[in-house]
Amino acid sequence: MAGILLVEDDPSVRSGLELALTRQGHTITSYATGEEALDHIRARRPEIVVLDVMLPGIDGVEVCRRVRKIDQLPIILLTARGDDLDVVVGLEAGADDYVVKPVEPRVLDARIRAVLRRVESASSDRITFGDLVIDRGALKVTLDGREVHLTPTELRLLLELVRHPGQVLNRRHLLRSVWDHSHVGDSRLVDACVQRIRAKIEPVPAEPVFIHTVRGFGYRFNPP
């Protein structure tokens, strides 16, 4: 069971999710503002953050950006139905997953558990591709000897691509393997995560060496 930081400004939604997630065995700390959430994260790191996009003051996307500057803490966004722009911006800011409102507690609980499984999943081997080194036991990636800070989701996606060098993996496969769900409408999770990984490991992200896009199909990891 997880220690969850819930950030939601609507009191009824917040209390409902608190109750539902507590019944699932989680420990919940909740706040109504991004400022309070950031203070809490600095003082006492939770296992995962469930974060509403629309917050007074510092909104959820900005909270996500600020957290990513200091921590690879798992983050799930809560978004209003149809707010595709919020979803895309939130994923680009570093969110690991998202759930559309109105939130079904069982769906949110499943997403939380899926994200946390990514944190725990690791193998004991070390993989080297030129200057890129992936230590799955230590959950550590280095490039040219410098550590690359990846979120658990980014690391899991990179590992899935690395397991199949030279093969094209479609978005549905990657959703199922990394996010534990395969709804085709969630393919932007894959695209945003690939963009974030490229920004961290590619010498020139616009001209990728490691992760190639195969238009109309998906992505391929090409060992240099």
Side-chain angles (χ1 to χ4, degrees), residues 86-140:
D86 284 343
V87 171
V88 172
V89 173
L91 294 175
E92 290 176 349
D96 294 278
D97 205 343
Y98 70 96
V99 176
V100 176
K101 291 182 175 182
V103 179
E104 168 56 52
R106 287 177 296 180
V107 172
L108 178 57
D109 178 55
R111 295 292 181 91
I112 289 169
R113 293 173 189 272
V115 170
L116 291 174
R117 281 195 295 271
R118 296 171 215 160
V119 179
E120 296 171 357
S121 65
S123 301
S124 59
D125 53 332
R126 181 183 174 97
I127 311 169
T128 301
F129 297 101
D131 294 327
L132 181 68
V133 179
I134 303 169
D135 187 333
R136 292 191 286 191
L139 293 178
K140 184 177 179 180

Side-chain angles (χ1 to χ4, degrees), residues 13-168:
V13 174
R14 187 170 65 249
S15 61
L17 289 178
E18 270 191 87
L19 179 60
L21 293 173
T22 299
R23 285 175 174 169
Q24 295 297 324
H26 302 294
T27 301
I28 312 299
T29 302
S30 65
Y31 294 104
T33 70
E35 290 86 348
E36 292 172 308
L38 288 169
D39 287 343
H40 179 88
I41 290 167
R42 294 186 192 103
R44 186 178 179 184
R45 186 183 189 273
E47 291 178 68
I48 189 169
V49 178
V50 177
L51 178 64
D52 187 25
V53 171
M54 299 299 295
L55 294 171
I58 300 175
D59 67 16
V61 172
E62 181 59 24
V63 171
C64 191
R65 288 195 186 102
R66 295 190 187 190
V67 170
R68 282 289 168 264
K69 290 180 180 179
I70 60 172
D71 203 319
Q72 303 309 309
L73 178 64
I75 297 173
I76 295 177
L77 293 179
L78 303 180
T79 72
R81 186 176 301 277
D83 285 349
D84 289 348
L85 180 59
D86 284 343
V87 171
V88 172
V89 173
L91 294 175
E92 290 176 349
D96 294 278
D97 205 343
Y98 70 96
V99 176
V100 176
K101 291 182 175 182
V103 179
E104 168 56 52
R106 287 177 296 180
V107 172
L108 178 57
D109 178 55
R111 295 292 181 91
I112 289 169
R113 293 173 189 272
V115 170
L116 291 174
R117 281 195 295 271
R118 296 171 215 160
V119 179
E120 296 171 357
S121 65
S123 301
S124 59
D125 53 332
R126 181 183 174 97
I127 311 169
T128 301
F129 297 101
D131 294 327
L132 181 68
V133 179
I134 303 169
D135 187 333
R136 292 191 286 191
L139 293 178
K140 184 177 179 180
V141 176
T142 59
L143 183 65
D144 293 331
R146 298 186 299 274
E147 184 172 359
V148 178
H149 297 285
L150 299 175
T151 69
T153 303
E154 291 164 0
L155 179 59
R156 181 103 177 243
L157 177 56
L158 179 59
L159 289 174
E160 184 62 24
L161 291 166
V162 165
R163 284 190 192 101
H164 307 276
Q167 296 183 30
V168 178

Side-chain angles (χ1 to χ4, degrees), residues 176-218:
R176 188 167 53 249
S177 301
V178 177
W179 283 268
D180 292 337
H181 54 87
S182 57
H183 184 266
V184 68
D186 288 341
S187 62
R188 56 195 166 188
L189 285 168
V190 179
D191 297 335
C193 197
V194 167
Q195 287 180 0
R196 299 200 309 262
I197 296 170
R198 282 174 172 164
K200 296 177 180 181
I201 71 169
E202 299 284 2
V204 181
E207 300 174 6
V209 174
F210 296 108
I211 303 175
H212 290 226
T213 301
V214 181
R215 296 193 181 280
F217 292 95

